Amino acid sequence: MDAVSPRATSFNQQAADAKSDSILTNIVRAAYAEPLQFTELGSTSGTGSVSGSVGAGVPFPFRGGTGALPLQTIASTFNASTSVANTFAVQNISTQDFYQGIQKPISKQLILSWISEGFDPRVVMNLFVSGIEVTQNGKTKLIQNNPESYNDWNTFYSAVNQLAFNDLDSEKTSSTTPVSTDLTRAEASKEAVLAALINAPAGAPSFEKHGNKVRLIKHDAGYRFCFRAAPGEPKSKTVELADDTFFQLYPSDYCGETVKKSDDRINIRTRSVEGAIFYLGQMVRNEWGVGGSGQNPFLIPHGGTTPPYTVFKLDKGLQPNSLINVLYKGQVYGIARDPAGLKNGSSRVLQLLTDALNLQSSSKDVPVPSIITLVGG
């Protein structure tokens, strides 16, 4: 009997490995400034069969039967056969739609979703944020996430670390927008209007009272960045994002408070999936010491006796604690296994890239802005 479950599980594992290997291979290509190439394990089909037969026939003489040699006969047969066939479809993804999709900036919704699901903001923002714009008192300063510059990268990480240290989080928000002029109750009660409201999909605008009249109101649900205050902690403080770069947090910047518009704000510039892969290639080049700014291990001190942390590290050669390895042009490359995420964020980076590649691989989605407000109105 051909068991389907083990084969389906095996295919699931192989499909996941193929996806991870493809992403990791493209990071290697980016490190050597080579063109990217994406493939996808599309489908598999297979057949398996086992057959056999046992037969008995009339004994017929084989030899002997005369003199001292007894009669010998052949009287049974047995046949068995098995066959297994699997067909895999692997396709090169080189369409215009795919490349336009992976070149779109990562959306605010995705970044908020990852942070709310528990991903470390330092990993998410290092991977998908190319810069932080701080605007205060009418002046704007850009903190760049540039791995080609040791000072720029460390300044950027310092800013991200301060945001995380102050419990950067996200929360759901709602807003209302009038989409009609004021109507009298008689006008709103007309048969055609009521029929349209009855047949409207969920989330469609609805009538709400406005003075002695009514108007159609659209309710929009979304998310925003905010900070979590510890019990007893004042909801107002000055945060030093980097050297000579301070930002004042107000009560409206904290989760659960009413959002207020302000000219003082922190914006983030987001990368695309392709841009994130190129960014990792830049990091790897400088980790290996073949980049333009000399060797940089990108180690992040945690303080105390805790070992330093690296966002992403690509090893050459087989390592004793490797999670994934790929062979590219005769050389083995791999990332380390660190389930607790205490020293190495490489596996989490690969997980985020896998999600982003699946979600942003089409240009048919609505275009998103590359600049997102993190703090302020």
Side-chain angles (χ1 to χ4, degrees), residues 46-159:
T47 59
S49 64
V50 178
S51 63
S53 64
V54 177
V58 178
F60 59 90
F62 177 61
R63 63 181 179 180
T66 59
L69 183 65
L71 179 65
Q72 296 179 350
T73 62
I74 297 176
S76 63
T77 61
F78 173 79
N79 294 304
S81 64
T82 63
S83 65
V84 176
N86 287 292
T87 302
F88 296 92
V90 179
Q91 55 185 337
N92 289 321
I93 310 175
S94 56
T95 64
Q96 183 183 46
D97 182 63
F98 172 79
Y99 273 91
Q100 288 178 343
I102 66 172
Q103 288 174 355
K104 291 189 309 180
I106 291 293
S107 67
K108 175 182 179 180
Q109 177 66 36
L110 271 181
I111 292 179
L112 285 165
S113 174
W114 285 322
I115 292 176
S116 66
E117 288 171 3
F119 276 96
D120 191 331
R122 292 167 294 189
V123 177
V124 175
M125 296 182 71
N126 263 283
L127 183 60
F128 291 116
V129 174
S130 62
I132 298 175
E133 293 180 355
V134 182
T135 300
Q136 198 156 29
N137 300 323
K139 296 181 179 179
T140 300
K141 180 177 181 178
L142 175 63
I143 303 173
Q144 290 185 306
N145 183 5
N146 177 18
E148 297 291 347
S149 167
Y150 182 85
N151 290 332
D152 283 355
W153 189 87
N154 280 277
T155 300
F156 176 85
Y157 180 76
S158 174

Side-chain angles (χ1 to χ4, degrees), residues 132 171 194 267 335:
I132 298 175
E171 68 176 357
L194 293 176
N267 291 332
I335 59 174

Side-chain angles (χ1 to χ4, degrees), residues 315-373:
D315 297 310
K316 287 184 179 181
L318 290 172
Q319 303 297 320
N321 193 36
S322 61
L323 174 66
I324 299 172
N325 292 295
V326 295
L327 180 66
Y328 186 71
K329 295 185 177 180
Q331 173 70 55
V332 175
Y333 303 89
I335 59 174
R337 184 189 305 272
D338 183 12
L342 298 177
K343 296 186 295 183
N344 195 318
S346 299
S347 63
R348 285 157 176 76
V349 165
L350 203 63
Q351 185 179 1
L352 287 168
L353 275 177
T354 301
D355 286 354
L357 193 59
N358 288 330
L359 292 168
Q360 299 246 150
S361 58
S362 173
S363 64
K364 296 177 182 178
D365 302 325
V366 178
V368 296
S370 63
I371 298 179
I372 298 169
T373 300

Side-chain angles (χ1 to χ4, degrees), residues 144-218:
Q144 290 185 306
N145 183 5
N146 177 18
E148 297 291 347
S149 167
Y150 182 85
N151 290 332
D152 283 355
W153 189 87
N154 280 277
T155 300
F156 176 85
Y157 180 76
S158 174
V160 171
N161 193 46
Q162 283 298 315
L163 293 171
F165 179 77
N166 284 279
D167 293 323
L168 176 67
D169 205 337
S170 64
E171 68 176 357
K172 288 185 177 181
T173 61
S174 62
S175 60
T176 57
T177 306
V179 293
S180 76
T181 57
D182 291 350
L183 303 174
T184 65
R185 294 184 180 277
E187 292 171 327
S189 300
K190 289 183 178 179
E191 184 176 347
V193 175
L194 293 176
L197 289 176
I198 292 172
N199 295 321
S206 58
F207 279 121
E208 292 187 12
K209 184 178 179 180
H210 186 249
N212 59 354
K213 295 186 177 182
V214 294
R215 63 170 54 172
L216 276 175
I217 300 293
K218 180 182 178 183

